[in-house]
Amino acid sequence: MMNNYDNEKQWIPEEGDVLEGFLFDKLSNIGKYESNLYKIIDKDEDIYVIWGKLRLDQLLKKAVIGDYLIIKYKGKVKTSDEHMMNEYEVEIIEIDEED
């Protein structure tokens, strides 16, 4: 079940766009294509929803709830088999909580 919040926005980036914030939620097997869904909360406490794509899923595989993410959309690139794919650059900053 997905929780929807009033301040959720779908992130639909254009080449060069950057999203920074904390990974708030990570859902699997959502929708018709059983996609991953990531929710990131930014400094203004807006929640951005991002649908997983092959490359983004690979880059976010090790991210856990609470990690600080910097995601840059680099645009579409051609794969070796001539298909177009969305390319991202991701930095995962693990936040250690002190006891």
Side-chain angles (χ1 to χ4, degrees):
M1 182 173 163
M2 272 178 39
N3 291 325
N4 292 314
Y5 300 91
D6 290 338
N7 57 341
E8 280 187 359
K9 304 172 185 179
Q10 186 171 356
W11 191 53
I12 304 172
E14 294 185 17
E15 189 171 338
D17 285 352
V18 175
L19 177 62
E20 291 189 42
F22 291 96
L23 183 59
F24 175 72
D25 204 355
K26 187 177 182 179
L27 305 167
S28 300
N29 301 318
I30 303 298
K32 179 180 177 181
Y33 301 106
E34 299 181 353
S35 300
N36 290 329
L37 186 71
Y38 304 93
K39 295 186 180 189
I40 296 173
I41 188 166
D42 72 2
K43 65 181 179 351
D44 297 321
E45 297 187 1
D46 289 321
I47 299 170
Y48 286 88
V49 177
I50 306 171
W51 285 102
K53 308 265 191 284
L54 176 63
R55 183 68 178 137
L56 188 59
D57 286 339
Q58 291 170 341
L59 295 169
L60 290 175
K61 189 173 187 172
K62 293 182 181 180
V64 297
I65 304 301
D67 283 348
Y68 190 81
L69 305 177
I70 302 171
I71 302 172
K72 180 177 183 181
Y73 179 63
K74 299 182 80 177
K76 292 194 179 282
V77 296
K78 193 175 286 190
T79 64
S80 59
D81 62 356
E82 301 296 317
H83 288 93
M84 295 304 288
M85 174 181 83
N86 291 308
E87 182 62 272
Y88 299 87
E89 184 177 287
V90 173
E91 185 176 352
I92 299 171
I93 301 168
E94 297 176 14
I95 305 297
D96 293 326
E97 291 187 31
E98 295 182 17
D99 295 48

Coordinates of all heavy atoms in Angstrom, one line a residue, residues 21-98:
G21 N 18.2 15.0 -1.3 CA 17.4 14.8 -0.1 C 17.6 13.5 0.5 O 18.4 12.7 0.1
F22 N 16.8 13.2 1.6 CA 16.9 12.0 2.3 C 15.9 10.9 1.7 O 14.8 11.3 1.3 CB 16.6 12.1 3.8 CG 17.6 12.9 4.5 CD1 17.5 14.3 4.7 CD2 18.7 12.3 5.0 CE1 18.4 15.0 5.3 CE2 19.7 13.0 5.7 CZ 19.6 14.4 5.8
L23 N 16.4 9.7 1.5 CA 15.5 8.6 1.1 C 14.5 8.4 2.2 O 14.9 8.0 3.3 CB 16.4 7.4 0.8 CG 15.6 6.2 0.2 CD1 14.8 6.6 -1.1 CD2 16.5 5.0 0.0
F24 N 13.3 8.6 1.9 CA 12.2 8.6 2.8 C 11.5 7.3 2.8 O 11.0 6.8 3.8 CB 11.3 9.8 2.5 CG 10.0 9.9 3.3 CD1 10.0 10.2 4.6 CD2 8.8 9.6 2.7 CE1 8.9 10.3 5.4 CE2 7.6 9.7 3.4 CZ 7.6 10.1 4.8
D25 N 11.4 6.7 1.6 CA 10.7 5.4 1.4 C 11.2 4.8 0.1 O 11.5 5.5 -0.8 CB 9.2 5.7 1.4 CG 8.3 4.4 1.8 OD1 8.9 3.4 2.0 OD2 7.1 4.6 1.8
K26 N 11.1 3.5 0.1 CA 11.6 2.7 -1.0 C 10.6 1.5 -1.2 O 10.6 0.6 -0.3 CB 13.0 2.2 -0.8 CG 13.7 1.5 -1.9 CD 15.2 1.2 -1.5 CE 15.9 0.6 -2.6 NZ 17.3 0.3 -2.2
L27 N 9.8 1.5 -2.2 CA 8.8 0.5 -2.4 C 9.1 -0.4 -3.6 O 9.7 0.1 -4.6 CB 7.4 1.2 -2.6 CG 7.0 2.1 -1.5 CD1 5.8 3.0 -1.9 CD2 6.7 1.4 -0.2
S28 N 8.8 -1.6 -3.6 CA 9.1 -2.6 -4.7 C 7.8 -3.1 -5.2 O 6.8 -3.2 -4.6 CB 10.0 -3.7 -4.2 OG 11.2 -3.2 -3.7
N29 N 7.9 -3.6 -6.5 CA 6.8 -4.3 -7.2 C 5.5 -3.5 -7.2 O 4.5 -4.0 -6.9 CB 6.6 -5.6 -6.5 CG 7.8 -6.5 -6.6 OD1 8.5 -6.6 -7.6 ND2 8.1 -7.2 -5.5
I30 N 5.7 -2.2 -7.6 CA 4.5 -1.3 -7.6 C 4.0 -1.2 -9.0 O 4.7 -1.0 -10.0 CB 4.9 0.1 -7.1 CG1 5.5 0.0 -5.7 CG2 3.7 1.1 -7.1 CD1 4.5 -0.5 -4.6
G31 N 2.7 -1.2 -9.2 CA 2.0 -1.0 -10.5 C 2.1 -2.2 -11.4 O 2.6 -3.2 -11.1
K32 N 1.6 -1.9 -12.6 CA 1.5 -2.9 -13.7 C 2.9 -3.5 -14.0 O 2.9 -4.7 -14.3 CB 1.0 -2.2 -14.9 CG 0.8 -3.0 -16.2 CD 0.2 -2.2 -17.3 CE 0.1 -3.1 -18.6 NZ -0.4 -2.3 -19.7
Y33 N 3.9 -2.7 -14.0 CA 5.3 -3.2 -14.4 C 6.1 -3.6 -13.2 O 7.3 -3.9 -13.4 CB 6.0 -2.2 -15.3 CG 5.2 -1.9 -16.5 CD1 4.5 -0.7 -16.7 CD2 5.1 -2.8 -17.6 CE1 3.8 -0.4 -17.8 CE2 4.4 -2.6 -18.7 CZ 3.7 -1.4 -18.8 OH 3.0 -1.1 -20.0
E34 N 5.5 -3.7 -12.0 CA 6.2 -4.1 -10.8 C 7.5 -3.3 -10.6 O 8.6 -3.9 -10.4 CB 6.4 -5.6 -10.8 CG 5.1 -6.4 -10.8 CD 5.3 -7.9 -10.8 OE1 6.5 -8.4 -10.8 OE2 4.3 -8.6 -10.7
S35 N 7.4 -2.0 -10.7 CA 8.5 -1.1 -10.6 C 8.9 -0.8 -9.2 O 8.1 -0.9 -8.3 CB 8.3 0.2 -11.4 OG 8.0 -0.1 -12.7
N36 N 10.1 -0.2 -9.0 CA 10.5 0.3 -7.7 C 10.0 1.8 -7.7 O 9.9 2.4 -8.7 CB 12.0 0.3 -7.5 CG 12.5 -1.1 -7.4 OD1 11.8 -2.0 -6.8 ND2 13.7 -1.4 -7.8
L37 N 9.7 2.3 -6.5 CA 9.3 3.6 -6.3 C 10.1 4.2 -5.2 O 10.1 3.6 -4.1 CB 7.8 3.7 -6.0 CG 7.1 5.0 -5.9 CD1 7.1 5.7 -7.3 CD2 5.8 5.0 -5.4
Y38 N 10.7 5.3 -5.4 CA 11.6 5.9 -4.4 C 10.9 7.3 -4.0 O 10.4 8.0 -4.8 CB 13.0 6.2 -4.9 CG 13.6 5.0 -5.5 CD1 13.5 4.7 -6.8 CD2 14.3 4.1 -4.7 CE1 14.1 3.6 -7.4 CE2 15.0 3.0 -5.2 CZ 14.8 2.7 -6.5 OH 15.4 1.6 -7.0
K39 N 10.9 7.5 -2.7 CA 10.4 8.8 -2.2 C 11.6 9.5 -1.5 O 12.2 9.0 -0.6 CB 9.3 8.6 -1.2 CG 8.0 8.0 -1.9 CD 6.9 7.9 -1.0 CE 5.6 7.3 -1.7 NZ 4.4 7.4 -0.9
I40 N 11.8 10.7 -1.9 CA 12.9 11.5 -1.3 C 12.4 12.8 -0.8 O 11.6 13.5 -1.4 CB 14.0 11.8 -2.4 CG1 14.6 10.5 -2.9 CG2 15.1 12.8 -1.9 CD1 15.5 10.6 -4.1
I41 N 12.8 13.2 0.4 CA 12.3 14.4 1.1 C 13.5 15.4 1.0 O 14.6 15.1 1.4 CB 11.8 14.1 2.5 CG1 11.1 15.4 3.1 CG2 12.9 13.6 3.4 CD1 10.3 15.1 4.3
D42 N 13.2 16.6 0.5 CA 14.2 17.6 0.3 C 14.2 18.5 1.5 O 13.5 18.4 2.5 CB 14.0 18.3 -1.0 CG 12.9 19.3 -1.1 OD1 12.1 19.4 0.0 OD2 12.6 19.9 -2.1
K43 N 15.1 19.6 1.4 CA 15.3 20.5 2.6 C 14.0 21.3 2.9 O 13.9 21.8 4.0 CB 16.5 21.4 2.3 CG 16.3 22.3 1.1 CD 17.6 23.2 1.0 CE 17.6 24.2 -0.1 NZ 16.7 24.3 -1.1
D44 N 13.2 21.4 1.9 CA 11.9 22.2 2.1 C 10.8 21.3 2.6 O 9.6 21.7 2.7 CB 11.5 22.9 0.8 CG 12.5 23.9 0.4 OD1 13.1 24.6 1.3 OD2 12.8 24.0 -0.8
E45 N 11.1 20.0 2.9 CA 10.2 19.0 3.3 C 9.2 18.6 2.2 O 8.1 18.1 2.6 CB 9.5 19.3 4.6 CG 10.6 19.5 5.8 CD 9.9 19.7 7.1 OE1 8.7 19.7 7.2 OE2 10.7 19.8 8.1
D46 N 9.5 18.9 1.0 CA 8.7 18.3 -0.1 C 9.1 16.9 -0.4 O 10.3 16.6 -0.3 CB 8.9 19.2 -1.4 CG 8.2 20.5 -1.3 OD1 7.1 20.6 -0.7 OD2 8.8 21.5 -1.8
I47 N 8.2 16.0 -0.7 CA 8.5 14.6 -1.0 C 8.4 14.4 -2.5 O 7.4 14.7 -3.1 CB 7.5 13.7 -0.3 CG1 7.7 13.9 1.2 CG2 7.8 12.2 -0.7 CD1 6.6 13.2 2.1
Y48 N 9.5 14.0 -3.1 CA 9.6 13.7 -4.5 C 9.5 12.2 -4.7 O 10.2 11.4 -4.1 CB 10.9 14.3 -5.1 CG 10.8 15.8 -5.3 CD1 11.2 16.6 -4.2 CD2 10.3 16.4 -6.4 CE1 11.2 18.0 -4.3 CE2 10.2 17.7 -6.5 CZ 10.7 18.5 -5.5 OH 10.6 19.9 -5.6
V49 N 8.6 11.8 -5.6 CA 8.4 10.4 -6.0 C 9.1 10.2 -7.3 O 8.9 10.9 -8.3 CB 6.9 10.1 -6.1 CG1 6.7 8.7 -6.6 CG2 6.2 10.4 -4.8
I50 N 9.9 9.1 -7.3 CA 10.7 8.8 -8.5 C 10.4 7.3 -8.9 O 10.7 6.4 -8.1 CB 12.2 9.0 -8.3 CG1 12.5 10.4 -7.8 CG2 13.0 8.7 -9.6 CD1 14.0 10.5 -7.4
W51 N 10.0 7.1 -10.1 CA 9.8 5.7 -10.5 C 11.1 5.1 -10.9 O 11.9 5.8 -11.6 CB 8.8 5.6 -11.7 CG 7.4 5.8 -11.3 CD1 6.7 7.0 -11.5 CD2 6.6 4.9 -10.7 NE1 5.4 6.8 -11.0 CE2 5.3 5.5 -10.5 CE3 6.7 3.5 -10.3 CZ2 4.2 4.8 -9.9 CZ3 5.7 2.9 -9.8 CH2 4.4 3.5 -9.6
G52 N 11.4 3.9 -10.5 CA 12.7 3.3 -10.8 C 12.8 3.0 -12.3 O 11.8 2.6 -13.0
K53 N 13.9 3.2 -12.8 CA 14.3 2.8 -14.2 C 15.5 1.9 -14.1 O 16.1 1.9 -13.0 CB 14.7 4.0 -15.0 CG 13.7 5.2 -15.0 CD 12.8 5.1 -16.2 CE 11.9 6.3 -16.4 NZ 10.8 6.5 -15.5
L54 N 15.8 1.1 -15.1 CA 16.9 0.1 -15.0 C 18.1 0.7 -14.4 O 18.7 0.2 -13.4 CB 17.2 -0.5 -16.3 CG 18.3 -1.5 -16.4 CD1 18.0 -2.7 -15.5 CD2 18.6 -1.9 -17.8
R55 N 18.6 1.8 -15.0 CA 19.9 2.4 -14.5 C 19.8 3.0 -13.1 O 20.6 2.8 -12.3 CB 20.3 3.4 -15.5 CG 21.7 4.0 -15.2 CD 22.8 3.0 -15.3 NE 24.0 3.7 -15.0 CZ 25.0 3.1 -14.3 NH1 24.9 1.9 -13.8 NH2 26.1 3.7 -14.0
L56 N 18.7 3.7 -12.9 CA 18.5 4.3 -11.5 C 18.4 3.2 -10.5 O 18.9 3.3 -9.4 CB 17.2 5.2 -11.5 CG 17.0 6.0 -10.3 CD1 18.2 6.9 -10.0 CD2 15.8 6.8 -10.4
D57 N 17.6 2.1 -10.8 CA 17.5 1.0 -9.8 C 18.9 0.4 -9.5 O 19.2 0.1 -8.3 CB 16.6 -0.1 -10.3 CG 15.2 0.3 -10.3 OD1 14.8 1.2 -9.5 OD2 14.4 -0.3 -11.0
Q58 N 19.8 0.3 -10.5 CA 21.1 -0.2 -10.3 C 21.9 0.7 -9.4 O 22.6 0.2 -8.4 CB 21.9 -0.4 -11.6 CG 21.3 -1.5 -12.5 CD 22.0 -1.4 -13.9 OE1 22.5 -0.4 -14.3 NE2 21.9 -2.5 -14.6
L59 N 21.8 2.0 -9.6 CA 22.6 3.0 -8.8 C 22.1 3.1 -7.4 O 22.8 3.4 -6.5 CB 22.6 4.3 -9.5 CG 23.3 4.4 -10.8 CD1 23.0 5.7 -11.6 CD2 24.8 4.2 -10.6
L60 N 20.8 2.9 -7.2 CA 20.2 3.0 -5.8 C 20.0 1.7 -5.1 O 19.5 1.7 -4.0 CB 18.8 3.7 -6.0 CG 18.8 5.2 -6.4 CD1 17.4 5.7 -6.6 CD2 19.6 6.0 -5.3
K61 N 20.6 0.6 -5.6 CA 20.4 -0.7 -5.0 C 20.9 -0.7 -3.6 O 20.2 -1.3 -2.7 CB 21.2 -1.7 -5.8 CG 20.9 -3.1 -5.4 CD 21.5 -4.1 -6.4 CE 21.1 -5.5 -6.1 NZ 21.5 -6.5 -7.1
K62 N 22.0 0.0 -3.3 CA 22.5 -0.1 -1.9 C 22.0 1.0 -1.0 O 22.3 1.0 0.2 CB 24.1 0.0 -2.0 CG 24.7 -1.2 -2.6 CD 26.2 -1.1 -2.7 CE 26.8 -2.3 -3.3 NZ 28.2 -2.3 -3.4
A63 N 21.2 1.9 -1.5 CA 20.6 3.0 -0.7 C 19.6 2.4 0.3 O 18.8 1.5 0.0 CB 20.0 4.0 -1.6
V64 N 19.6 2.9 1.5 CA 18.7 2.5 2.6 C 18.0 3.7 3.1 O 18.4 4.9 2.9 CB 19.4 1.8 3.7 CG1 20.0 0.5 3.2 CG2 20.4 2.6 4.4
I65 N 16.8 3.5 3.7 CA 16.0 4.6 4.2 C 16.9 5.4 5.2 O 17.6 4.9 6.0 CB 14.8 4.1 5.0 CG1 13.9 3.2 4.1 CG2 14.0 5.2 5.6 CD1 13.4 3.8 2.9
G66 N 16.9 6.7 5.0 CA 17.7 7.6 5.8 C 18.9 8.1 5.1 O 19.5 9.1 5.6
D67 N 19.4 7.5 4.1 CA 20.6 7.9 3.4 C 20.3 9.2 2.7 O 19.2 9.5 2.2 CB 21.0 6.9 2.3 CG 21.7 5.7 2.9 OD1 22.1 5.7 4.0 OD2 21.9 4.7 2.1
Y68 N 21.3 10.1 2.6 CA 21.2 11.3 1.8 C 21.6 11.1 0.4 O 22.7 10.5 0.2 CB 22.1 12.4 2.5 CG 21.8 13.8 1.9 CD1 20.7 14.5 2.4 CD2 22.6 14.3 0.9 CE1 20.5 15.8 1.9 CE2 22.3 15.6 0.4 CZ 21.3 16.3 0.9 OH 21.0 17.6 0.4
L69 N 20.8 11.4 -0.5 CA 21.0 11.2 -2.0 C 21.2 12.4 -2.7 O 20.5 13.4 -2.5 CB 19.8 10.4 -2.6 CG 19.4 9.1 -1.9 CD1 18.2 8.5 -2.6 CD2 20.6 8.1 -1.9
I70 N 22.1 12.4 -3.7 CA 22.2 13.5 -4.7 C 22.1 12.7 -6.0 O 22.9 11.9 -6.4 CB 23.6 14.2 -4.6 CG1 23.8 14.8 -3.2 CG2 23.7 15.3 -5.7 CD1 25.1 15.3 -2.9
I71 N 21.0 13.0 -6.7 CA 20.7 12.4 -8.0 C 20.8 13.4 -9.1 O 20.0 14.4 -9.1 CB 19.3 11.7 -8.0 CG1 19.2 10.7 -6.9 CG2 19.0 11.0 -9.3 CD1 17.9 10.1 -6.7
K72 N 21.6 13.2 -10.1 CA 21.7 14.1 -11.2 C 21.2 13.3 -12.5 O 21.7 12.2 -12.8 CB 23.1 14.6 -11.5 CG 23.2 15.5 -12.6 CD 24.6 16.1 -12.8 CE 24.7 17.1 -14.0 NZ 26.0 17.6 -14.2
Y73 N 20.3 13.9 -13.2 CA 19.8 13.3 -14.5 C 20.7 13.8 -15.6 O 20.8 15.0 -15.8 CB 18.4 13.7 -14.7 CG 17.8 13.1 -16.0 CD1 17.8 11.7 -16.2 CD2 17.4 13.9 -17.0 CE1 17.3 11.2 -17.4 CE2 16.9 13.4 -18.2 CZ 16.9 12.0 -18.4 OH 16.4 11.5 -19.6
K74 N 21.4 12.9 -16.3 CA 22.3 13.3 -17.3 C 21.7 13.2 -18.7 O 22.4 13.5 -19.7 CB 23.6 12.4 -17.2 CG 24.2 12.5 -15.8 CD 25.5 11.7 -15.7 CE 26.6 12.4 -16.4 NZ 27.9 11.7 -16.3
G75 N 20.5 12.8 -18.8 CA 19.8 12.7 -20.1 C 19.8 11.3 -20.7 O 20.0 10.4 -20.0
K76 N 19.4 11.2 -21.9 CA 19.3 9.9 -22.6 C 20.6 9.6 -23.3 O 21.3 10.5 -23.9 CB 18.2 9.9 -23.6 CG 16.8 10.0 -22.9 CD 15.7 9.6 -23.8 CE 14.4 9.7 -23.2 NZ 14.0 8.6 -22.3
V77 N 21.0 8.3 -23.2 CA 22.2 7.8 -23.8 C 21.9 6.6 -24.6 O 20.9 5.9 -24.3 CB 23.4 7.5 -22.8 CG1 23.8 8.8 -22.1 CG2 23.0 6.5 -21.8
K78 N 22.7 6.3 -25.7 CA 22.4 5.2 -26.5 C 23.2 4.0 -25.9 O 24.4 4.1 -25.6 CB 22.9 5.4 -27.9 CG 22.4 4.4 -28.9 CD 22.8 4.7 -30.3 CE 21.9 5.9 -30.8 NZ 22.0 6.1 -32.3
T79 N 22.5 2.9 -25.8 CA 23.2 1.6 -25.3 C 23.9 0.9 -26.4 O 23.7 1.3 -27.6 CB 22.1 0.7 -24.6 OG1 21.2 0.3 -25.6 CG2 21.4 1.4 -23.5
S80 N 24.6 -0.1 -26.0 CA 25.4 -0.9 -27.0 C 24.5 -1.5 -28.1 O 24.9 -1.8 -29.2 CB 26.3 -1.9 -26.4 OG 25.5 -2.8 -25.6
D81 N 23.2 -1.8 -27.7 CA 22.3 -2.4 -28.6 C 21.4 -1.4 -29.3 O 20.3 -1.7 -29.8 CB 21.5 -3.5 -28.0 CG 20.6 -3.1 -26.8 OD1 20.7 -1.9 -26.5 OD2 19.9 -3.9 -26.3
E82 N 21.8 -0.1 -29.3 CA 21.2 1.0 -30.0 C 19.9 1.5 -29.4 O 19.1 2.2 -30.0 CB 21.0 0.6 -31.5 CG 22.2 0.3 -32.2 CD 23.2 1.5 -32.3 OE1 22.7 2.6 -32.6 OE2 24.4 1.3 -32.1
H83 N 19.5 1.0 -28.1 CA 18.3 1.5 -27.5 C 18.7 2.8 -26.7 O 19.9 3.0 -26.3 CB 17.8 0.5 -26.5 CG 17.1 -0.7 -27.2 ND1 17.8 -1.8 -27.5 CD2 15.9 -0.8 -27.7 CE1 17.0 -2.6 -28.1 NE2 15.8 -2.1 -28.2
M84 N 17.7 3.6 -26.4 CA 18.0 4.8 -25.6 C 17.6 4.5 -24.2 O 16.7 3.8 -23.9 CB 17.1 6.0 -26.1 CG 17.5 6.5 -27.5 SD 19.2 6.9 -27.7 CE 19.2 8.5 -26.8
M85 N 18.5 5.0 -23.3 CA 18.3 4.7 -21.8 C 18.5 6.0 -21.1 O 19.4 6.9 -21.4 CB 19.4 3.7 -21.4 CG 19.4 3.4 -19.9 SD 20.7 2.2 -19.5 CE 22.1 3.2 -19.5
N86 N 17.8 6.2 -20.0 CA 18.0 7.4 -19.1 C 19.3 7.1 -18.3 O 19.4 6.0 -17.7 CB 16.8 7.5 -18.1 CG 15.6 8.0 -18.9 OD1 15.6 9.0 -19.6 ND2 14.5 7.3 -18.7
E87 N 20.1 8.1 -18.2 CA 21.4 8.0 -17.5 C 21.4 8.9 -16.3 O 20.9 10.1 -16.4 CB 22.6 8.3 -18.3 CG 23.9 8.2 -17.7 CD 24.2 6.8 -17.2 OE1 23.8 6.4 -16.1 OE2 24.8 6.0 -17.9
Y88 N 21.8 8.4 -15.1 CA 21.8 9.2 -13.9 C 23.2 9.1 -13.3 O 24.0 8.1 -13.5 CB 20.8 8.6 -12.9 CG 19.4 8.6 -13.3 CD1 18.9 7.6 -14.1 CD2 18.6 9.7 -13.0 CE1 17.5 7.6 -14.5 CE2 17.3 9.7 -13.4 CZ 16.7 8.7 -14.2 OH 15.4 8.7 -14.6
E89 N 23.5 10.1 -12.4 CA 24.7 10.0 -11.6 C 24.2 10.1 -10.2 O 23.4 11.0 -9.9 CB 25.6 11.2 -11.9 CG 26.9 11.2 -11.2 CD 27.7 12.4 -11.7 OE1 28.2 12.4 -12.8 OE2 27.8 13.4 -10.9
V90 N 24.6 9.2 -9.3 CA 24.0 9.1 -7.9 C 25.1 9.1 -6.9 O 26.1 8.4 -7.1 CB 23.1 7.9 -7.7 CG1 22.7 7.7 -6.3 CG2 21.9 7.9 -8.6
E91 N 25.0 10.0 -5.9 CA 25.9 9.9 -4.8 C 25.0 9.5 -3.5 O 24.0 10.2 -3.3 CB 26.6 11.3 -4.6 CG 27.6 11.2 -3.4 CD 28.3 12.6 -3.3 OE1 28.2 13.5 -4.2 OE2 29.1 12.7 -2.3
I92 N 25.5 8.5 -2.8 CA 24.8 8.1 -1.6 C 25.6 8.4 -0.4 O 26.8 8.0 -0.3 CB 24.5 6.5 -1.7 CG1 23.7 6.2 -2.9 CG2 23.9 6.1 -0.4 CD1 23.5 4.7 -3.1
I93 N 25.1 9.2 0.5 CA 25.8 9.6 1.7 C 25.1 8.9 2.8 O 24.0 9.3 3.2 CB 25.9 11.1 1.8 CG1 26.5 11.7 0.6 CG2 26.6 11.5 3.1 CD1 26.4 13.2 0.5
E94 N 25.8 8.0 3.5 CA 25.2 7.3 4.6 C 25.2 8.1 5.8 O 26.3 8.7 6.1 CB 26.0 6.0 4.8 CG 25.9 5.0 3.7 CD 26.8 3.7 3.9 OE1 27.2 3.5 5.1 OE2 27.0 3.0 3.0
I95 N 24.1 8.2 6.5 CA 24.0 9.0 7.7 C 24.0 8.1 8.9 O 23.1 7.2 9.0 CB 22.7 9.9 7.7 CG1 22.6 10.7 6.4 CG2 22.6 10.7 8.9 CD1 23.7 11.8 6.2
D96 N 25.0 8.2 9.7 CA 25.1 7.4 10.9 C 24.4 8.2 12.0 O 24.7 9.3 12.4 CB 26.5 7.1 11.3 CG 27.3 6.3 10.3 OD1 26.6 5.4 9.7 OD2 28.5 6.5 10.1
E97 N 23.4 7.5 12.6 CA 22.7 8.1 13.8 C 23.4 7.7 15.0 O 23.8 6.5 15.2 CB 21.3 7.6 13.8 CG 20.4 8.2 12.7 CD 19.0 7.8 12.9 OE1 18.5 7.7 14.0 OE2 18.3 7.7 11.8
E98 N 23.7 8.7 15.9 CA 24.4 8.4 17.2 C 23.4 7.9 18.2 O 22.2 8.4 18.2 CB 25.1 9.7 17.7 CG 26.2 10.1 16.7 CD 26.9 11.3 17.3 OE1 26.8 11.6 18.5 OE2 27.6 12.0 16.5

